[in-house]
Each structure stands twice: as C-alpha cells, then as structure tokens.
Amino acid sequence: MRIVLALGGNALLRRGERADAATQLRNVAAAADQIAEVAAQHQILLVHGNGPQVGLLAEESERDPTLERGYPLDTLVAETQGMIGYWLAQSIGRRLPGTPVAALVTQVRVDPDLGPPVKPIGPYYPPVEAERLTRERGWTFSDERYGMRRVVPSPRPVEVVELPVITRLMSDGCVVIAGGGGGAPVTGDLTGVEGVVDKDLVAALLAERVQADLLAILTDVPYVFSGYGTPTQRPILRTSPGELAAGDFAAGSMRPKIEAVCGFTRNTGRTAVIGALSEMTTVLRGDSGTWVT
C-alpha cells in the first residue's frame, strides 16, 4: 500500500520542550521506530512540520546585527527541510538497512493571491517593539494572549515542483521525505514567496498526485473531537467529508487538517485518517484515529 504520512511538529518538539538538537533527535528516534515498522511493509512518503524550527531561525536571523535584513521565509523553510530531513533520513536509515531513504528540499508553487497574513511565526513582542518593526520592516502583527506576534501569509499550494522526482523515487522503493514545512513557497517562475504553506494541505496534494491509498495526518491527539474542550466532548471515529467539514473546528489547529483529509477523500474516493503520532501503528491498523471515507 502507498501511504502519505504527515507528521505534526510534535514529531520533533513537544509542548514545553526546549528547542535543543538533542531533544529533537530523541523525539525523531521515537517516531522513526514506528515509521520504520510501517515502511517495512508499505511505500511511504513523509511530510513533516517545522513551525518551532522556522520560528527559531527567523528570530535568530532578525536579531543578527551583521545582517541588513533577516533571511526570507522561503529560504528559512528550505533550511529547516534540510535539517529535519537529515535527522529523519538518518534515524529511519539506521532502522531499515538496505532500504534507500531520501530527503528532498521541496518547492511548492502557490496561489498568486497570497491572502492576508494569518499564520503566526516566531516569538512574542511587546507592543512598542511590534510598532517599531511594523514601521521599519512592514510586518503585520496579531494581538495574542502573551503579546504581539508576527503573522505572515499562508498561500494555498498548487503544484509540487519536485513531484516527478518524488514519484520516481517511490516507485524505486525509496522512503521519501518531502514537502517539509509545507515546502518552500515559490511563484510560477520559481521566485521565493514570503509566506508559510500549510503542511497538511501539501500532504493532501502530494497524496493525490502520487495516487496514495491512504493519507494519515498524525498529531498530538488520538481523534478529532466534536465539542472539543466542553463537557459534551466526544471522539469522532468514522465519518464522511461532508459530515466532518460541517463541524466547528479551530482555524489555527484542527481546521487545516480537516480540510486536508476531506479534500483528499472527496477528490480521490480514498481513505484518510487523523490520529496520534504516538500511536502510529495502531492508527494505521484501523484501531484508533478518526477515519474519513
């Protein structure tokens, strides 16, 4: 079976953990144990998140006094693809000797209409600092609970530039890591775009294009819940795209995942699931997670 696995940011950095390399490598090793078990039986394409990592790099770049301006976001996304892809390829390769593993720096052509800035990145700033950065750099900020936070456009993915290479590698039996952090966003002529693409939407796009049998979005909750956080909260076990899309889900967390699985199932007639990364093998056996058919 051909499976696209979308790993949430908690694959590398769990809530409250420091962004040290050693911490992230331990988390990668735990995920790789399960990935290798699945990859021993199926064709696998991995798409990973990069929210904490790209935010850290953006902050470091902007604070570097030797630079006139910080590095653009498309470049930082590419940087994190290299770093995280390297970690995953190493860890999976150790567990699957003889199986080729390739991590690709992936470009994603996006909708020319980038849309409004909605994706929060980087640290929180005091209002005075946010006002200064707005004047000097033209940044946009949102007022959140812990301070002002930079928000950037999150354009819709249209095409994965390296798709032919990804398809060929998968057909040759390679475990492929691609589309990390949603891919580096580019225009039609491959000019970088200042934005961050949603990685779950890219995973769904790739799953369609490589004709995957299953799209599995793995995160830090075991199910999609209706009435999440209320006394009437209940897990959704089996559902259809129409039923799931009609629910009320948070725009910044679960909603993109809902959109990704519903779109994949509608467009292909194939199955998708949202479940816990820590229970990956259980989810893929059909014993856990929210299944969309």
Side-chain angles (χ1 to χ4, degrees):
M1 187 161 66
R2 180 169 281 190
I3 303 173
V4 172
L5 297 175
L7 309 185
N10 57 311
L12 297 169
L13 201 61
R14 300 187 179 114
R15 299 177 195 277
E17 289 182 331
R18 294 173 62 91
D20 295 325
T23 300
Q24 296 183 71
L25 285 168
R26 283 195 299 271
N27 293 337
V28 166
D33 286 337
Q34 298 187 81
I35 294 168
E37 184 177 341
V38 176
Q41 304 173 57
H42 304 286
Q43 285 188 322
I44 296 298
L45 170 59
L46 287 177
V47 180
H48 61 78
N50 73 339
Q53 295 79 17
V54 77
L56 177 65
L57 288 180
E59 181 182 6
E60 291 175 346
S61 176
E62 292 297 339
R63 292 179 182 275
D64 189 334
T66 67
L67 298 177
E68 182 179 351
R69 295 182 71 87
Y71 288 145
L73 285 173
D74 60 296
T75 300
L76 296 178
V77 170
E79 261 193 89
T80 60
Q81 286 187 56
M83 177 180 71
I84 298 169
Y86 165 64
W87 287 343
L88 285 166
Q90 272 196 325
S91 203
I92 296 167
R94 292 190 190 103
R95 289 156 176 79
L96 289 174
T99 298
V101 184
L104 300 181
V105 174
T106 311
Q107 302 170 92
V108 173
R109 287 192 174 95
V110 297
D111 189 325
D113 180 7
L114 302 184
V118 293
K119 177 74 172 175
I121 65 165
Y124 293 96
Y125 294 91
V128 172
E129 180 72 0
E131 289 176 10
R132 181 183 68 80
L133 291 170
T134 299
R135 291 194 307 270
E136 294 180 0
R137 302 191 184 277
W139 286 3
T140 302
F141 286 83
S142 65
D143 189 358
E144 300 186 11
R145 179 178 178 184
Y146 299 105
M148 307 293 288
R149 199 172 183 205
R150 183 186 178 191
V151 287
V152 300
S154 185
R156 294 192 66 81
V158 174
E159 177 188 15
V160 177
V161 175
E162 288 77 18
L163 179 63
V165 180
I166 293 168
T167 304
R168 186 180 306 171
L169 288 170
M170 293 187 75
S171 297
D172 288 343
C174 185
V175 175
V176 182
I177 304 159
V186 296
T187 62
D189 65 356
L190 302 185
T191 301
V193 170
E194 192 75 359
V196 176
V197 184
D198 184 85
K199 72 102 171 59
D200 294 314
L201 295 181
V202 170
L205 178 62
L206 279 168
E208 282 190 48
R209 298 295 192 266
V210 303
Q211 300 183 353
D213 301 291
L214 174 68
L215 168 64
I217 294 182
L218 301 167
T219 183
D220 56 356
V221 293
Y223 303 95
V224 177
F225 291 90
S226 65
Y228 183 72
T230 70
T232 59
Q233 170 180 303
R234 66 172 183 84
I236 301 172
L237 306 182
R238 297 287 187 275
T239 186
S240 69
E243 291 172 339
L244 191 58
D248 184 16
F249 302 102
S253 56
M254 190 54 72
R255 174 54 64 180
K257 296 171 175 53
I258 300 296
E259 185 176 349
V261 295
C262 290
F264 172 73
T265 299
R266 280 198 194 102
N267 294 341
T268 67
R270 302 189 183 101
T271 303
V273 62
I274 298 174
L277 172 64
S278 60
E279 301 173 5
M280 182 188 305
T281 53
T282 303
V283 170
L284 296 181
R285 284 200 307 265
D287 297 330
S288 182
T290 295
W291 287 80
V292 186
T293 57

